[in-house]
Structure formats: C-alpha cells, structure tokens
C-alpha cells in the first residue's frame, strides 16, 4: 500500500535493536557536513567545481615536482639540504599557495557550491600536506615581504627613547649649583678659650 510505504520503510530501518542503518546514515551525513564536502562540488551535484579541479591539478604537479627533484638525493645530501627541490619547485608551490589563498577568500564571499563556510576537507588536507612537505621535510622557506618594514618600524620605536633623553639633556639648561657655606655661631667653649687667651 503506497499510503503506508513511509511507515513500512521506517519499520524496516528501525527493526533491529542497534538501528544500524539509521546510525550509519546519521554518521555519514554528519561527516559529509563536518568535512564541507559540498564545497568541492558544483551546486551540490556530483561534479567537482572548476576551482577544485584546478587546485587538485596544481597539487598533483607540486607533488610530482617534489618527487622528481627528491629522487636520488638522499645519498648525496644531508637531511636538511634539499636546495634542488626548493629551487625547482618554488614556482609551482607559490602558484598552489596563491590559488589556495584565493579559494579561501572566494569561499568567504560565497563559492561555486553555494556554501560560505570552510573549504572542503580534500582541498584543506592537500594544502596542509604540501605546506608540511615544503617547510618541514624539505626545509624550504619563502622570504617574507614584510620583514624589512617590520624591522624598520621596530628599530624606530626602540630608538625613540634614546632620542627623547638625548634631546632633553641637550636642550635643558644646566645650572651649576653654587654651594654657600653657612656661617656658624661659635660655641661657648671656644669663646671662653678666646677670652682666656686675651686675659
């Protein structure tokens, strides 16, 4: 009976004591939501969004570059010296990092998927893996462009107290203190001695 199909489905799904089908369904739905999987798709369809495809393509190129430049170097290089990887893969890594930052910015404003939360877990995990390989494993570092202004401002702020006290010292009037010795009244004993002397 079609009118009773909903009740029939409910009774079948919840017929066992553990309600395993319902439990699994809830688990997978919560995992899907927590991982923001819909953010990798076009309007919640089964097709990956263009930005996700572009990111994963660039991610694979980065890993290929790492692997290609890393092969055969463990014998010749110390564990902390992977200059070939850093030099040859710098451009690919920079492009991947810039794309990830753009995706984050776009996602805050609303993405292709229609969701405005975090990026999907596949993209975030891929970027985390790449950054860990780049910074920790290969010990590559990109010089920060803000270093010079930060050092300049810090030096200026640290130098201000010296300028203040120096200018205060130079522009203040230095008064020499003249010590005036007070005239003391001679004691009675010394007056008696003087009188005895003259008598």
């Amino acid at each position: 009976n079609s009118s009773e199909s909903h009740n029939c489905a409910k009774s079948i799904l919840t017929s066992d004591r553990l309600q395993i089908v319902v439990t699994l369904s809830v688990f997978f739905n919560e995992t899907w939501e927590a991982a923001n999987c819909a953010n990798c798709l076009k309007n919640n369809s089964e097709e990956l969004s263009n930005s996700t495809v572009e990111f994963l393509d660039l991610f694979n190129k980065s890993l290929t570059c790492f692997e290609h430049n890393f092969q055969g170097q463990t014998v010749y290089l110390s564990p902390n010296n992977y200059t070939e990887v850093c030099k040859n893969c710098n451009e690919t890594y920079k492009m991947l990092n810039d794309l990830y930052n753009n995706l984050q910015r776009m996602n805050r404003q609303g993405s292709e998927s229609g969701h405005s939360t975090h990026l999907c877990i596949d993209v975030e995990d891929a970027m985390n893996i790449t950054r860990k390989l780049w910074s920790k494993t290969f010990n590559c570092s990109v010089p920060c462009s803000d270093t010079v202004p930060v050092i300049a401002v810090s030096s200026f702020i640290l130098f201000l107290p010296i300028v203040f006290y120096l200018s205060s010292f130079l522009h203040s009037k230095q008064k020499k203190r003249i010590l005036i010795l007070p005239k003391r009244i001679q004691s009675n004993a010394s007056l008696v001695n003087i009188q005895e002397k003259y008598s």
Side-chain angles (χ1 to χ4, degrees):
N1 190 344
S2 60
S3 61
E4 297 178 0
S5 60
H6 179 69
N7 292 333
C8 180
K10 186 176 179 182
S11 63
I12 290 172
L13 291 174
T14 59
S15 60
D16 61 316
R17 185 171 59 86
L18 292 176
Q19 299 181 6
I20 193 70
V21 176
V22 175
T23 304
L24 287 175
S25 174
V26 169
F27 169 75
F28 286 123
N29 285 334
E30 287 177 354
T31 305
W32 179 270
E33 291 295 324
N36 298 301
C37 294
N39 287 344
C40 281
L41 306 174
K42 282 183 178 177
N43 299 322
N44 293 332
S45 69
E46 294 180 3
E47 186 180 352
L48 289 174
S49 65
N50 296 334
S51 57
T52 305
V53 170
E54 183 184 359
F55 178 85
L56 292 176
D57 182 49
L58 204 51
F59 170 67
N60 289 331
K61 285 180 183 176
S62 298
L63 291 184
T64 304
C65 183
F66 292 165
E67 186 179 352
H68 175 71
N69 288 282
F70 180 67
Q71 284 179 346
Q73 293 191 10
T74 52
V75 178
Y76 304 107
L77 296 177
S78 65
N80 294 325
N81 189 5
Y82 300 106
T83 53
E84 290 299 315
V85 176
C86 299
K87 185 174 65 174
N88 296 334
C89 302
N90 184 35
E91 190 63 32
T92 310
Y93 174 78
K94 189 175 181 302
M95 287 169 57
L96 181 70
N97 196 47
D98 290 344
L99 178 60
Y100 179 78
N101 291 335
N102 288 337
L103 289 176
Q104 277 188 317
R105 199 177 311 108
M106 283 172 31
N107 210 51
R108 288 188 200 108
Q109 299 167 354
S111 62
E112 295 176 54
S113 64
H115 294 266
S116 58
T117 56
H118 295 283
L119 293 171
C120 72
I121 198 71
D122 293 336
V123 172
E124 288 186 349
D125 280 352
M127 195 65 223
N128 287 341
I129 289 166
T130 311
R131 285 177 173 169
K132 186 176 180 181
L133 285 170
W134 182 258
S135 61
K136 290 189 177 180
T137 305
F138 301 127
N139 201 21
C140 301
S141 62
V142 178
C144 183
S145 58
D146 295 338
T147 304
V148 174
V150 167
I151 291 173
V153 170
S154 301
S155 301
F156 176 73
I157 291 173
L158 290 173
F159 193 64
L160 277 178
I162 297 169
V163 171
F164 172 75
Y165 286 113
L166 188 63
S167 63
S168 175
F169 175 76
L170 293 174
H171 290 94
S172 65
K173 292 182 179 178
Q174 298 295 324
K175 293 182 179 178
K176 292 183 179 178
R177 294 185 181 183
I178 301 170
L179 295 177
I180 302 172
L181 296 173
K183 295 180 180 178
R184 294 186 179 175
I185 300 174
Q186 295 177 346
S187 64
N188 292 335
S190 60
L191 284 174
V192 171
N193 290 337
I194 292 170
Q195 287 175 358
E196 287 177 355
K197 189 176 180 182
Y198 286 110
S199 60

